[in-house]
C-alpha cells in the first residue's frame, strides 16, 4: 500500500446545499437593524435564543456568567485560597492537547503572577500522549505519588471526571484533588474521592453553560479564587482582574472545537482574547504575530496557532508548548517557536502518510455500502489518528473511527472517532458498550468526537457494532460530503463593504462558521497555480466577470480538471481580502464548484 497516491482513489464529489435556517431568527435580526445578509447568516447558526441577538453576536466580558454559580466552586476556591495562604505545594495536571496546554498556562500564570505563589511550590504534570494516555492515568498518578516534592493539593484541568480510581489513590495519602473539566460525567457519576468537581456538564451544575472548554473552567476557578483572596486580604481589592489570561482561554476554546454559537461565554472570551494576542501581550504572541499579516482572526487561531501548539503534544509531552506559552522573554519564545514549527512539520508528514493509507481502506468500506468507517492501521500513529479521522470523515461524509496500536500495551489498540452533522459520537460508543460490554476497555467523548481502547482481536466486532449503532442513529441523515452554504449572494453585493459587515460577526468557530455563499456562474477560465493543486478561476455571473482562488481544488498536479471552460456551475465561496501595494482588495475564495447539468 506504500506509495499510493491520492489520485488513484476516486473520491466522492461534495454537493453544495443551503444550510437550514430559522426564519423567525432572521426576522429578529432584521428588526434589530442587521443587514439582511447578516440576519440570514445568523438565522442559520444556533445562538442562544434567550439573549438579545446583538448581545449574543458580540457579548462583552461583563456578560460572562458568574463563576460561583458553578456547583462546588465555593468549596474549591476556598481550598485553593487556603493552599495559597499557607504556601502549600500545588500540583497542576492536564492533558497534552491544546485545551490542556492552555489550561496549564492559565493555572500556572495566575498562581505565579496574580496570586504571587512561589514557582518552586508549583508542580506540573502532563500525561505523555503515547506512553501515558489521556487523563489522570495510572502512570501519571504514580508520578505524582513518587514526586520528591509531592503536592498537597492537585488541580486537574480538562480531565479528571472519569478518573475516580486514581483520585482515590491520591486521596489515600491526603492529596486533595480539585477536578476542573468539561467532559461529560461518566455513567458511574462524578469522582466521589475528589475534594471538588467543577464541571458545567454536571447535572446539578448551576453555571448554565455546558459548552465552555476545559481552559475556561480552569479560568473560572482562578477568578473565584481571586475573589476569595481579596476577602482574605491576600490580594488588594483593586488587584488586576484575570482578563489578561483570556488569551490562553481563547486559544484553547477555538482549538477544542466547542460551540462558538451556543455559548455567549465562548464568544466573549474568544473575541477578547484575540485582541490580547494581536496586541502581543506576551512574548509567545509577539513572535507568532511577526508571522501573521494584518488583523488576527479566529480562523488563525484554529488553523495556525492551535495546530502548532498541538503538534508538540501529539508527538511527545506538551511541555514544549506550555513553556512556549509561558516564555519570559522574546528570545525564549523565538527558540520555542522554532521547536514547535519543527514538530509541526514532522506531524504533517506523518499525518499525510497515515491519511493516504486510511483513505484507500475507507474507500473499500464505502464501496461495500458502510455508513460508518472503521480503519485500523498497524503502522498507525496514535498522535495523529484524531486528525486523520477528521479528514476522512470530511472526505466521505461519514462517521469515522481511526485506530492504531497503543504504545506500550501489546494487543491493545486505541482509536479516535469523529462524527458528522446530526450524529452523536459518545451515544454511539455507549450503544456499542451496552451491546458488547466485554470489548470496550475504555471510552469517552462528546457529540462531535470521542476516543476508545479495544483489544486488537475485538476490532472486527467493534466495526460491526459501530456500524449498527450508526445506522440506528442516522436513519434520516444524508451521507456523503456536503458543503453547507448561507444561500445565494447577488453579485452586486460582492464588495468590501459586505466583507466588513461580515467580519463584524467574528469570532467564527464550530457552529458559527465563516459564512459561505453560493452563486451560479459560467466558467471562463481555470488555470492551475502554485504546486498545481491550487487554481485561479475566471467566472461570469449575471453579466459580471470575476476571478476567484480555489485552494486544493484537486488531489495532485496530474489529476483531471474538475470543471471545464464554458461549464455552467454552482460556486460555493467565502469573501476575504488581500492587501496589495497598500490597497485592500476583495478576494473570492472558492470552496467548491459543482457542475450543473
Ligand atoms: Mn477539552
Amino acid at each position: 500500500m506504500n506509495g499510493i497516491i491520492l489520485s488513484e482513489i476516486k473520491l466522492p464529489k461534495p454537493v453544495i446545499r443551503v444550510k437550514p435556517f430559522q426564519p423567525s431568527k432572521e426576522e429578529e435580526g432584521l428588526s434589530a437593524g442587521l443587514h439582511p445578509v447578516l440576519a440570514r447568516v445568523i438565522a442559520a447558526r444556533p445562538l442562544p435564543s434567550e439573549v438579545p441577538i446583538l448581545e449574543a453576536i458580540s457579548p462583552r466580558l461583563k456578560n460572562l456568567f458568574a463563576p460561583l454559580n458553578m456547583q462546588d466552586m465555593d468549596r474549591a476556591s476556598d481550598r485553593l485560597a487556603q493552599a495559597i495562604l499557607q504556601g502549600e505545594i500545588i500540583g497542576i495536571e492536564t492533558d497534552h492537547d491544546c485545551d490542556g496546554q492552555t489550561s496549564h498556562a492559565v493555572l500556572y500564570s495566575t498562581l505565579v503572577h496574580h496570586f504571587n505563589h512561589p514557582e518552586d511550590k508549583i508542580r506540573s504534570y502532563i500525561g505523555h500522549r503515547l506512553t501515558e494516555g489521556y487523563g489522570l492515568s495510572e502512570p501519571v498518578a504514580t508520578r505524582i505519588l513518587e514526586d520528591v516534592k509531592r503536592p498537597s493539593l492537585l488541580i486537574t484541568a480538562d480531565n479528571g471526571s472519569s478518573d475516580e480510581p486514581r483520585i482515590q489513590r491520591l486521596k489515600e495519602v491526603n492529596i486533595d484533588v480539585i477536578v476542573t473539566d468539561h467532559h461529560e460525567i461518566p455513567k458511574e457519576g462524578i469522582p466521589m474521592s475528589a475534594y471538588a468537581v467543577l464541571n458545567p456538564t454536571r447535572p446539578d451544575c448551576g453555571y448554565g453553560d455546558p459548552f465552555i472548554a476545559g481552559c475556561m473552567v480552569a479560568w473560572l476557578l482562578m477568578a473565584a479564587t481571586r475573589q476569595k483572596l481579596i476577602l482574605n486580604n491576600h490580594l488588594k481589592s483593586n488587584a488586576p482582574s484575570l482578563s489578561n489570561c483570556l488569551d490562553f482561554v481563547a486559544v484553547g476554546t477555538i482549538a477544542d472545537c466547542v460551540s462558538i454559537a451556543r455559548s455567549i461565554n465562548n464568544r466573549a472570551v474568544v473575541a477578547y482574547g484575540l485582541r490580547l494576542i494581536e496586541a502581543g501581550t506576551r512574548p509567545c504572541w509577539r513572535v507568532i504575530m511577526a508571522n501573521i499579516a494584518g488583523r488576527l482572526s479566529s480562523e488563525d487561531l484554529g488553523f495556525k496557532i492551535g495546530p502548532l501548539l498541538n503538534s508538540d503534544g501529539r508527538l511527545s509531552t506538551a511541555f514544549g508548548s506550555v513553556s512556549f506559552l509561558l516564555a519570559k522573554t522574546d528570545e525564549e519564545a523565538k527558540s520555542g517557536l522554532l521547536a514547535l514549527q519543527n514538530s509541526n512539520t514532522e506531524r504533517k508528514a506523518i499525518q499525510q502518510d497515515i491519511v493516504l493509507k486510511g483513505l484507500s481502506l475507507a474507500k473499500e468500506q464505502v464501496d461495500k455500502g458502510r455508513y460508518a468507517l472503521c480503519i485500523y492501521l498497524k503502522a498507525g500513529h496514535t498522535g495523529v489518528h484524531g486528525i486523520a479521522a477528521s479528514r476522512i470523515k470530511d472526505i466521505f461524509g461519514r462517521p469515522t473511527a481511526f485506530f492504531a496500536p497503543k504504545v506500550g500495551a501489546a494487543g491493545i489498540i486505541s482509536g479516535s472517532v469523529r462524527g458528522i452533522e446530526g450524529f452523536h459520537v459518545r451515544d454511539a460508543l455507549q450503544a456499542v458498550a451496552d451491546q458488547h460490554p466485554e470489548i470496550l476497555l475504555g471510552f469517552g467523548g462528546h457529540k462531535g468526537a470521542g476516543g476508545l481502547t479495544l483489544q486488537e482481536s475485538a476490532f472486527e466486532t467493534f466495526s460491526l457494532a459501530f456500524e449498527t449503532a450508526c445506522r440506528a442513529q442516522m436513519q434520516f441523515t444524508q451521507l456523503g460530503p456536503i458543503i453547507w452554504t448561507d444561500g445565494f449572494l447577488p453579485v452586486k453585493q460582492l464588495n468590501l463593504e459586505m466583507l466588513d459587515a461580515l467580519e463584524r460577526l467574528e469570532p467564527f468557530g464550530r457552529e458559527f462558521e465563516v459564512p459561505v455563499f453560493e452563486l451560479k456562474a459560467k466558467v471562463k477560465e481555470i488555470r492551475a497555480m502554485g504546486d498545481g493543486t491550487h487554481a485561479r478561476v475566471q467566472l461570469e455571473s449575471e453579466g459580471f466577470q470575476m476571478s476567484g482562488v480555489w485552494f486544493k481544488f484537486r488531489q495532485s498536479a496530474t489529476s483531471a480538471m474538475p470543471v471545464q471552460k464554458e461549464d455552467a456551475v454552482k460556486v460555493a465561496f467565502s469573501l476575504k481580502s488581500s492587501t496589495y501595494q497598500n490597497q485592500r482588495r476583495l478576494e473570492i475564495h472558492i470552496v467548491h464548484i459543482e457542475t450543473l447539468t
Side-chain angles (χ1 to χ4, degrees), residues 93-102 125-135 157-159 309-319 321-322 382:
E93 184 278 317
T94 65
D95 278 330
H96 28 64
D97 68 348
C98 197
D99 194 11
Q101 295 162 4
T102 50
Y125 311 97
I126 301 176
H128 189 294
R129 179 169 199 145
L130 302 178
T131 57
E132 294 182 321
Y134 284 95
D158 192 33
N159 68 40
L309 294 169
N310 255 325
S311 67
D312 183 39
R314 290 185 191 286
L315 307 178
S316 62
T317 66
F319 269 109
S321 292
V322 176
T382 50

CSV table of all heavy atoms in Angstrom, one decimal, residues 93-102 125-135 157-159 309-319 321-322 382:
chain,number,residue,atom,x,y,z
A,93,GLU,N,-2.4,19.2,36.8
A,93,GLU,CA,-2.3,18.1,36.0
A,93,GLU,C,-3.3,18.3,34.8
A,93,GLU,O,-4.4,18.6,34.9
A,93,GLU,CB,-2.8,16.8,36.8
A,93,GLU,CG,-2.7,15.5,36.0
A,93,GLU,CD,-3.9,15.3,35.1
A,93,GLU,OE1,-5.0,15.5,35.5
A,93,GLU,OE2,-3.7,14.8,34.0
A,94,THR,N,-2.7,18.2,33.6
A,94,THR,CA,-3.5,18.4,32.3
A,94,THR,C,-3.1,17.4,31.3
A,94,THR,O,-2.0,16.8,31.4
A,94,THR,CB,-3.4,19.8,31.7
A,94,THR,OG1,-2.0,20.0,31.3
A,94,THR,CG2,-3.7,20.9,32.7
A,95,ASP,N,-3.9,17.3,30.2
A,95,ASP,CA,-3.6,16.5,29.0
A,95,ASP,C,-2.6,17.3,28.1
A,95,ASP,O,-2.3,18.4,28.4
A,95,ASP,CB,-4.8,16.2,28.2
A,95,ASP,CG,-5.5,15.0,28.8
A,95,ASP,OD1,-4.9,14.1,29.4
A,95,ASP,OD2,-6.8,14.9,28.7
A,96,HIS,N,-2.2,16.6,27.0
A,96,HIS,CA,-1.2,17.2,26.1
A,96,HIS,C,-1.8,18.0,25.0
A,96,HIS,O,-1.1,18.5,24.2
A,96,HIS,CB,-0.4,16.0,25.6
A,96,HIS,CG,-1.3,14.8,25.5
A,96,HIS,ND1,-2.4,14.7,24.7
A,96,HIS,CD2,-1.3,13.6,26.2
A,96,HIS,CE1,-3.0,13.5,25.0
A,96,HIS,NE2,-2.3,12.9,25.9
A,97,ASP,N,-3.1,18.0,24.9
A,97,ASP,CA,-3.7,18.7,23.7
A,97,ASP,C,-3.8,20.2,24.0
A,97,ASP,O,-3.5,20.7,25.1
A,97,ASP,CB,-5.1,18.2,23.3
A,97,ASP,CG,-6.1,18.5,24.4
A,97,ASP,OD1,-5.8,18.9,25.5
A,97,ASP,OD2,-7.3,18.3,24.1
A,98,CYS,N,-4.3,21.0,23.1
A,98,CYS,CA,-4.2,22.4,23.2
A,98,CYS,C,-5.1,23.0,24.4
A,98,CYS,O,-4.7,23.9,25.0
A,98,CYS,CB,-4.6,23.1,21.9
A,98,CYS,SG,-4.2,24.8,21.7
A,99,ASP,N,-6.2,22.4,24.6
A,99,ASP,CA,-7.1,22.8,25.7
A,99,ASP,C,-6.3,22.5,27.0
A,99,ASP,O,-6.3,23.4,27.9
A,99,ASP,CB,-8.4,22.0,25.7
A,99,ASP,CG,-9.5,22.6,26.6
A,99,ASP,OD1,-9.3,23.7,27.1
A,99,ASP,OD2,-10.5,21.9,26.8
A,100,GLY,N,-5.7,21.4,27.1
A,100,GLY,CA,-4.9,21.0,28.3
A,100,GLY,C,-3.7,22.0,28.5
A,100,GLY,O,-3.4,22.5,29.6
A,101,GLN,N,-3.0,22.3,27.4
A,101,GLN,CA,-1.9,23.2,27.4
A,101,GLN,C,-2.3,24.6,27.9
A,101,GLN,O,-1.6,25.2,28.8
A,101,GLN,CB,-1.2,23.3,26.0
A,101,GLN,CG,-0.6,22.0,25.5
A,101,GLN,CD,-0.4,22.1,24.0
A,101,GLN,OE1,-0.6,23.1,23.4
A,101,GLN,NE2,0.0,21.0,23.4
A,102,THR,N,-3.3,25.1,27.3
A,102,THR,CA,-3.7,26.4,27.7
A,102,THR,C,-4.3,26.5,29.1
A,102,THR,O,-4.1,27.5,29.8
A,102,THR,CB,-4.7,27.0,26.7
A,102,THR,OG1,-5.8,26.1,26.5
A,102,THR,CG2,-4.1,27.3,25.3
A,125,TYR,N,2.3,18.5,35.9
A,125,TYR,CA,2.2,17.1,35.4
A,125,TYR,C,1.4,17.1,34.1
A,125,TYR,O,0.3,17.6,34.1
A,125,TYR,CB,1.6,16.2,36.4
A,125,TYR,CG,2.2,16.3,37.8
A,125,TYR,CD1,1.5,17.0,38.7
A,125,TYR,CD2,3.3,15.6,38.1
A,125,TYR,CE1,2.0,17.2,40.0
A,125,TYR,CE2,3.9,15.7,39.4
A,125,TYR,CZ,3.2,16.5,40.3
A,125,TYR,OH,3.7,16.6,41.6
A,126,ILE,N,2.0,16.6,33.0
A,126,ILE,CA,1.3,16.5,31.8
A,126,ILE,C,1.5,15.1,31.3
A,126,ILE,O,2.6,14.6,31.2
A,126,ILE,CB,1.8,17.5,30.7
A,126,ILE,CG1,1.8,18.9,31.2
A,126,ILE,CG2,1.1,17.3,29.4
A,126,ILE,CD1,2.4,19.9,30.2
A,127,GLY,N,0.4,14.4,31.0
A,127,GLY,CA,0.4,13.0,30.6
A,127,GLY,C,1.1,12.9,29.2
A,127,GLY,O,0.9,13.8,28.3
A,128,HIS,N,2.0,11.9,29.0
A,128,HIS,CA,2.6,11.7,27.7
A,128,HIS,C,1.6,11.0,26.9
A,128,HIS,O,1.2,9.9,27.2
A,128,HIS,CB,3.9,10.9,27.9
A,128,HIS,CG,4.7,10.8,26.6
A,128,HIS,ND1,4.3,10.1,25.5
A,128,HIS,CD2,5.9,11.3,26.3
A,128,HIS,CE1,5.2,10.2,24.6
A,128,HIS,NE2,6.2,11.0,25.0
A,129,ARG,N,1.3,11.6,25.7
A,129,ARG,CA,0.2,11.0,24.9
A,129,ARG,C,0.4,9.6,24.5
A,129,ARG,O,-0.5,8.7,24.6
A,129,ARG,CB,0.0,11.9,23.6
A,129,ARG,CG,-1.0,11.3,22.8
A,129,ARG,CD,-1.3,12.4,21.7
A,129,ARG,NE,-2.6,12.1,21.1
A,129,ARG,CZ,-3.4,13.1,20.7
A,129,ARG,NH1,-3.0,14.3,20.8
A,129,ARG,NH2,-4.5,12.8,20.1
A,130,LEU,N,1.6,9.3,24.1
A,130,LEU,CA,1.9,7.9,23.6
A,130,LEU,C,2.1,6.9,24.6
A,130,LEU,O,1.8,5.7,24.5
A,130,LEU,CB,3.1,8.0,22.6
A,130,LEU,CG,2.9,8.9,21.4
A,130,LEU,CD1,4.1,8.9,20.5
A,130,LEU,CD2,1.7,8.6,20.6
A,131,THR,N,2.7,7.3,25.8
A,131,THR,CA,3.0,6.3,26.8
A,131,THR,C,2.1,6.3,28.0
A,131,THR,O,2.1,5.3,28.7
A,131,THR,CB,4.5,6.4,27.2
A,131,THR,OG1,4.7,7.7,27.7
A,131,THR,CG2,5.4,6.2,26.0
A,132,GLU,N,1.5,7.4,28.2
A,132,GLU,CA,0.7,7.5,29.5
A,132,GLU,C,-0.8,7.7,29.2
A,132,GLU,O,-1.6,7.6,30.2
A,132,GLU,CB,1.2,8.6,30.4
A,132,GLU,CG,2.6,8.4,30.9
A,132,GLU,CD,3.1,9.5,31.8
A,132,GLU,OE1,2.8,10.7,31.5
A,132,GLU,OE2,3.7,9.2,32.8
A,133,GLY,N,-1.2,8.0,28.0
A,133,GLY,CA,-2.6,8.1,27.6
A,133,GLY,C,-3.2,9.3,28.1
A,133,GLY,O,-2.6,10.3,28.5
A,134,TYR,N,-4.6,9.3,28.1
A,134,TYR,CA,-5.3,10.5,28.5
A,134,TYR,C,-5.6,10.6,30.0
A,134,TYR,O,-5.7,9.6,30.7
A,134,TYR,CB,-6.7,10.5,27.7
A,134,TYR,CG,-6.5,10.9,26.3
A,134,TYR,CD1,-6.4,9.9,25.3
A,134,TYR,CD2,-6.5,12.2,25.9
A,134,TYR,CE1,-6.3,10.2,24.0
A,134,TYR,CE2,-6.4,12.5,24.6
A,134,TYR,CZ,-6.3,11.5,23.6
A,134,TYR,OH,-6.1,11.8,22.3
A,135,GLY,N,-5.9,11.8,30.4
A,135,GLY,CA,-6.5,12.0,31.8
A,135,GLY,C,-5.5,11.7,32.9
A,135,GLY,O,-4.3,11.6,32.7
A,157,ALA,N,-7.1,19.8,35.0
A,157,ALA,CA,-7.9,20.7,34.1
A,157,ALA,C,-8.1,20.0,32.8
A,157,ALA,O,-7.2,19.2,32.3
A,157,ALA,CB,-7.1,22.0,33.8
A,158,ASP,N,-9.3,20.1,32.3
A,158,ASP,CA,-9.7,19.5,31.0
A,158,ASP,C,-9.7,17.9,31.1
A,158,ASP,O,-9.8,17.2,30.2
A,158,ASP,CB,-8.8,19.9,29.9
A,158,ASP,CG,-9.3,19.5,28.5
A,158,ASP,OD1,-10.5,19.5,28.3
A,158,ASP,OD2,-8.5,19.2,27.6
A,159,ASN,N,-9.6,17.4,32.4
A,159,ASN,CA,-9.8,16.0,32.6
A,159,ASN,C,-10.1,15.7,34.0
A,159,ASN,O,-10.1,16.6,34.8
A,159,ASN,CB,-8.6,15.2,32.1
A,159,ASN,CG,-7.4,15.4,32.9
A,159,ASN,OD1,-7.4,15.5,34.1
A,159,ASN,ND2,-6.2,15.5,32.2
A,309,LEU,N,0.6,24.5,18.4
A,309,LEU,CA,0.8,24.1,19.8
A,309,LEU,C,0.5,22.6,20.0
A,309,LEU,O,1.2,21.9,20.7
A,309,LEU,CB,-0.2,24.9,20.7
A,309,LEU,CG,0.1,26.4,20.8
A,309,LEU,CD1,-1.1,27.1,21.4
A,309,LEU,CD2,1.3,26.7,21.6
A,310,ASN,N,-0.5,22.1,19.3
A,310,ASN,CA,-1.0,20.7,19.4
A,310,ASN,C,0.1,19.8,18.9
A,310,ASN,O,0.2,18.6,19.3
A,310,ASN,CB,-2.2,20.5,18.6
A,310,ASN,CG,-3.4,20.4,19.4
A,310,ASN,OD1,-3.3,19.8,20.5
A,310,ASN,ND2,-4.6,20.8,19.0
A,311,SER,N,0.9,20.2,17.9
A,311,SER,CA,1.9,19.2,17.3
A,311,SER,C,2.8,18.7,18.3
A,311,SER,O,3.2,17.6,18.3
A,311,SER,CB,2.7,20.0,16.2
A,311,SER,OG,3.5,20.9,16.7
A,312,ASP,N,3.2,19.5,19.3
A,312,ASP,CA,4.1,19.1,20.4
A,312,ASP,C,3.5,18.0,21.2
A,312,ASP,O,4.1,16.9,21.3
A,312,ASP,CB,4.4,20.3,21.3
A,312,ASP,CG,5.4,20.0,22.4
A,312,ASP,OD1,6.3,19.3,22.0
A,312,ASP,OD2,5.2,20.4,23.5
A,313,GLY,N,2.3,18.1,21.6
A,313,GLY,CA,1.6,17.1,22.4
A,313,GLY,C,1.3,15.8,21.7
A,313,GLY,O,1.2,14.8,22.2
A,314,ARG,N,1.2,16.0,20.3
A,314,ARG,CA,0.9,14.8,19.5
A,314,ARG,C,2.1,13.8,19.5
A,314,ARG,O,2.0,12.6,19.4
A,314,ARG,CB,0.6,15.1,18.1
A,314,ARG,CG,-0.7,15.8,18.0
A,314,ARG,CD,-1.0,16.1,16.5
A,314,ARG,NE,-2.2,17.0,16.5
A,314,ARG,CZ,-3.4,16.7,16.8
A,314,ARG,NH1,-3.7,15.4,17.1
A,314,ARG,NH2,-4.4,17.5,16.8
A,315,LEU,N,3.3,14.4,19.5
A,315,LEU,CA,4.5,13.5,19.3
A,315,LEU,C,5.2,13.2,20.6
A,315,LEU,O,6.0,12.3,20.7
A,315,LEU,CB,5.4,14.2,18.3
A,315,LEU,CG,4.7,14.5,16.9
A,315,LEU,CD1,5.7,15.2,16.0
A,315,LEU,CD2,4.1,13.3,16.3
A,316,SER,N,5.0,14.0,21.6
A,316,SER,CA,5.7,13.8,22.9
A,316,SER,C,4.9,14.3,24.0
A,316,SER,O,3.7,14.3,24.0
A,316,SER,CB,7.1,14.5,22.8
A,316,SER,OG,6.9,15.9,22.7
A,317,THR,N,5.5,14.9,25.1
A,317,THR,CA,4.7,15.5,26.1
A,317,THR,C,4.4,16.9,25.5
A,317,THR,O,4.9,17.3,24.5
A,317,THR,CB,5.5,15.8,27.4
A,317,THR,OG1,6.6,16.7,27.1
A,317,THR,CG2,6.1,14.5,27.9
A,318,ALA,N,3.6,17.7,26.2
A,318,ALA,CA,3.3,19.0,25.7
A,318,ALA,C,4.1,20.1,26.5
A,318,ALA,O,3.7,21.3,26.4
A,318,ALA,CB,1.8,19.3,25.8
A,319,PHE,N,5.2,19.7,27.2
A,319,PHE,CA,5.9,20.7,27.9
A,319,PHE,C,6.5,21.8,27.1
A,319,PHE,O,6.6,23.0,27.5
A,319,PHE,CB,7.0,20.1,28.8
A,319,PHE,CG,6.5,19.7,30.1
A,319,PHE,CD1,6.4,18.4,30.5
A,319,PHE,CD2,6.2,20.7,31.1
A,319,PHE,CE1,5.9,18.0,31.7
A,319,PHE,CE2,5.7,20.3,32.3
A,319,PHE,CZ,5.5,19.0,32.7
A,321,SER,N,5.1,23.2,24.4
A,321,SER,CA,4.1,24.2,24.1
A,321,SER,C,3.8,25.0,25.4
A,321,SER,O,3.6,26.2,25.3
A,321,SER,CB,2.8,23.5,23.7
A,321,SER,OG,3.0,22.9,22.5
A,322,VAL,N,3.7,24.4,26.5
A,322,VAL,CA,3.4,25.1,27.7
A,322,VAL,C,4.5,26.1,28.1
A,322,VAL,O,4.2,27.2,28.4
A,322,VAL,CB,3.1,24.1,28.9
A,322,VAL,CG1,2.8,24.9,30.2
A,322,VAL,CG2,1.9,23.3,28.6
A,382,THR,N,-0.8,7.0,17.1
A,382,THR,CA,-2.0,7.5,17.9
A,382,THR,C,-1.9,9.0,18.0
A,382,THR,O,-2.9,9.6,18.4
A,382,THR,CB,-2.0,6.8,19.3
A,382,THR,OG1,-0.7,7.0,19.9
A,382,THR,CG2,-2.4,5.4,19.2
